[in-house]
Amino acid sequence: MKISNEWLQSWVDHGLTPEALGHRLTMAGLELDAITPVAAEFSGVVVGRVQRVQAHPDADKLRVCEVDDGSGTLQQVVCGAPNVHEGMYAPLARVGAVLPDNFQIKKAKLRGVESFGMLCSAKELGLAESSDGLLGLPHDSPPGMDVRTLLGLDDVVLEIDLTPNRADCLSISGVAREVATLVERPLIPLAITPVPPTITETFPITLEAPQDCPRYAGRVIRGVNPQAPTPLWMRERLRRCGIRSLGPLVDVTNYVMLELGQPMHAFDLAHLHEGIVVRRARVGERLQLLAGQEIELSEADLLIADGRGPLALAGIMGGDMSGVDETTRDVFLESAHFSPQAIAGRARSHGLHTDASHRFERGVDPQLPVQALERATALLLEIVGGQAGPVHDVIAPQGIAQPAAIALRPARVEQLLGAQIPSAQMQRLLQALGCRLESAQTATWQVWPPSFRFDLAIEEDLIEEVARVYGYDQLPRQMPPLQASIRAQDERQVSIHAIRRSLSARGYREAITYSFVDPAIEALLAPEQSPLSLVNPISSEMAAMRTTLWPGLIKAAQYNLNRQQERIRLFETGLSFVPTPQGLQQQAQLAVLVCGPVLPEQWGSAARPVDFFDLKGDLQAVLALAGLEQRVVYQAQTHPALHPGQSARLLLDEQPIGCLGALHPQVQAQLDLPGAVYVFEIALDRLRRSTQVRYQEQSRFPLIRRDLALLVDQTLSADTVINAVRTFAPKEVKDIVLFDVYTGKGLPDACKSLALGLILQDLSRTLTDTEVDAIMAQITQQLAQHLGIRLRG
């Protein structure tokens, strides 16, 4: 956003140098990118009035002019500009003047006629890239007055880089409101008074898409003079803000947009039929834009149309057929409020980016349309004349979001910022920003944000406003105090750093990927989920919120594999976003991806590709940090993205906490991944809530091992049997090892043999054979009773 300092000062007398003002804005979150002079350096250029124009005796394209420069003596100047005429006021560079690029004006002879100076164009003064003739000055300009003073060319332009949430500062009035708050100076608001209609004519307006366009105001103005020149002061302000003058009918709408932040459009009334209709585009419709580009419309496009078809791409650009030009005599002036969701991304989908779409995508105050319409009407009548009809304002109240009260606790402000800001000062800051306060004498305030602040929704937003206006540099530099109970609780949990260190020690590298993913990949990996789609995505490949961390890891793996990196070990910790009936649920997850050889190429061991059990071993190492390696149950279960024979669900206390396995061959083929790829994902918060492993003294008494050969039903998993043994065994059983699985001859039908090794040990004494036999008998009895398992003969 480019801001003229001179224009800004007409709204608030801030009393700061441009550099100091830029610093204050930057510290308040409106980052200053550059300070640029509005004109190049020149001197000795004054207002000249052309008194007489005669033909040059020896050159058809030159004129000999007598110019009043305020000195009392007319100056003879030879000029070749096609628009020079008697009575014209134009810049005169006297002899001795210095123009941009150090061009000095000297007394000269042009084709035999002496010239004492030069009449200048805007280009010659560094005010435009090109010019068709002399720069015309206002007829009330005093001859001899310095042109820099007349035009305020000692002004500077501040270029401010706004974050997307600060659409309210995409105008002079918005920045002025911020500056007035920061420097505690009064804001000088623009006095906008309704223009009384002199004709009764209105033009019909229908809102067929009230959610997309809940407010549309229009006004008929007849008898305008489009040949009237745009005043120099307006052209200059537009130029300084980066907008080219295109004639008074367009210049006024652009000027009001810069001044108030409300985009507007002027239609040629002669080209409108039946009435204005705001609706969605229909399949097959096309529109020729003002820029000359013809676009094919889709049902996602919002249109301004009439009885014959599309007139404009709503909130983006007008159509060529209905645009104003030098023949326009009657105008329909529109000023509307469009929902940001209806405009977001539509300009980009057609390869466009306009000042209007830039504002509407971020949000424009729904209270502005009529104010802007009245302001533009007054300027048009002053510049091009005409007669204005009444304002026709059509509103669909259900489509306009009403600001809701936000609860703000002053104590919470102090807790988050670590600064004691007086309540009266906080109230003053919030009110200066346009907020309305109630219950300000209680522990919790009710704050209503203004209609132009779409970004204020929760308590933390208000606290941020207090902090930035109070001054980030004024906040204490020490850390705010932490409650001991919180710190103690964190120490009991498994830290994310410990998990990261464990995986790094096993050869993994951490990846940090976007929360926005390709909907196509998301559908492959989690087809049972319906991810949240973004209204205004960065690109089509980042159009949905991830419900699993796998898409990001797979994209990272593809990137590395395409660059001949065969051995991939990646992990990521982050949030997934799962839609539920209660709303969007954010879940902290740990995800891992492996593919390629188990070990880097070496002479000490044979090369082999990674498999399911390698991945399971890495998962077991992570679970061991939380003491869960024996509590987590692996349950065979199919997953739509995983191989049906190499996948498992993870259960903790009979509740699912994740899954692991190989990618399904079909998924792998669609993602163009060479070789087998293995992944797992586990709920990070559930993992961290577990108690950390603590030191336990080793027994100094000997351990005893007893083996069991069990006949087990084929449908029972080894995990089920081991967990059952662990449940039935007394505390003396320290470990259980599965060392053999046999199926084949010599076994009853539908049975398998599992060989378990039980390690028994006591901390205080040596176990006797009688005690060990009793323990083994107890275990085998419980297995037979509950699972029908018997010893193998």
Side-chain angles (χ1 to χ4, degrees), residues 691-702:
T691 304
Q692 279 188 321
V693 176
R694 296 183 180 275
Y695 168 77
Q696 183 175 347
E697 182 184 3
Q698 289 288 339
S699 174
R700 59 189 179 89
F701 298 97

Side-chain angles (χ1 to χ4, degrees), residues 51 245 298 638:
Q51 298 284 63
S245 175
S298 72
T638 57

Side-chain angles (χ1 to χ4, degrees), residues 724-746:
V725 172
R726 189 172 287 119
T727 301
F728 304 143
K731 62 182 179 61
E732 287 81 5
V733 177
K734 300 300 182 183
D735 198 9
I736 304 169
V737 180
L738 173 68
F739 64 88
D740 186 50
V741 177
Y742 174 73
T743 58
K745 294 181 179 180

Side-chain angles (χ1 to χ4, degrees), residues 280 298 300-302 313 316 342-351 361:
R280 290 281 181 167
S298 72
D301 291 316
L302 186 64
L313 199 56
I316 300 174
I343 306 301
R346 300 317 307 155
R348 197 161 53 247
S349 69
H350 295 294
E361 284 181 344

Side-chain angles (χ1 to χ4, degrees), residues 184-264:
E184 298 185 7
R185 295 286 185 91
L187 184 68
I188 310 170
L190 188 67
I192 301 176
T193 56
V195 176
T198 54
I199 58 176
T200 60
E201 183 180 359
T202 61
F203 199 68
I205 298 170
T206 303
L207 302 182
E208 290 188 2
Q211 293 298 326
D212 299 330
C213 176
R215 187 171 194 179
Y216 192 100
R219 181 175 228 164
V220 173
I221 303 178
R222 287 198 176 273
V224 301
N225 176 19
Q227 304 295 335
T230 302
L232 181 60
W233 62 267
M234 183 178 285
R235 297 203 309 270
E236 266 298 290
R237 285 185 168 178
L238 291 174
R239 179 185 73 83
R240 296 177 194 188
C241 292
I243 294 183
R244 183 166 54 95
S245 175
L246 297 172
L249 299 179
V250 177
D251 288 350
V252 164
T253 59
N254 284 334
Y255 183 84
V256 173
M257 177 186 69
L258 292 174
E259 186 176 56
L260 301 179
Q262 172 68 50
M264 304 180 68

Side-chain angles (χ1 to χ4, degrees), residues 205 207 209-217 262 278 335-339 365-371 391-397 399-400:
I205 298 170
L207 302 182
Q211 293 298 326
D212 299 330
C213 176
R215 187 171 194 179
Y216 192 100
Q262 172 68 50
V278 185
S335 181
H337 175 69
F338 300 108
S339 164
D365 185 358
Q367 305 303 320
L368 267 182
V370 172
Q371 296 179 45
V391 173
H392 187 191
D393 185 18
V394 180
I395 303 177
I400 299 179

Side-chain angles (χ1 to χ4, degrees), residues 419-430:
Q420 293 183 352
I421 304 175
S423 295
Q425 186 174 3
M426 278 195 283
Q427 293 177 35
R428 186 169 65 253
L429 294 179
L430 291 172

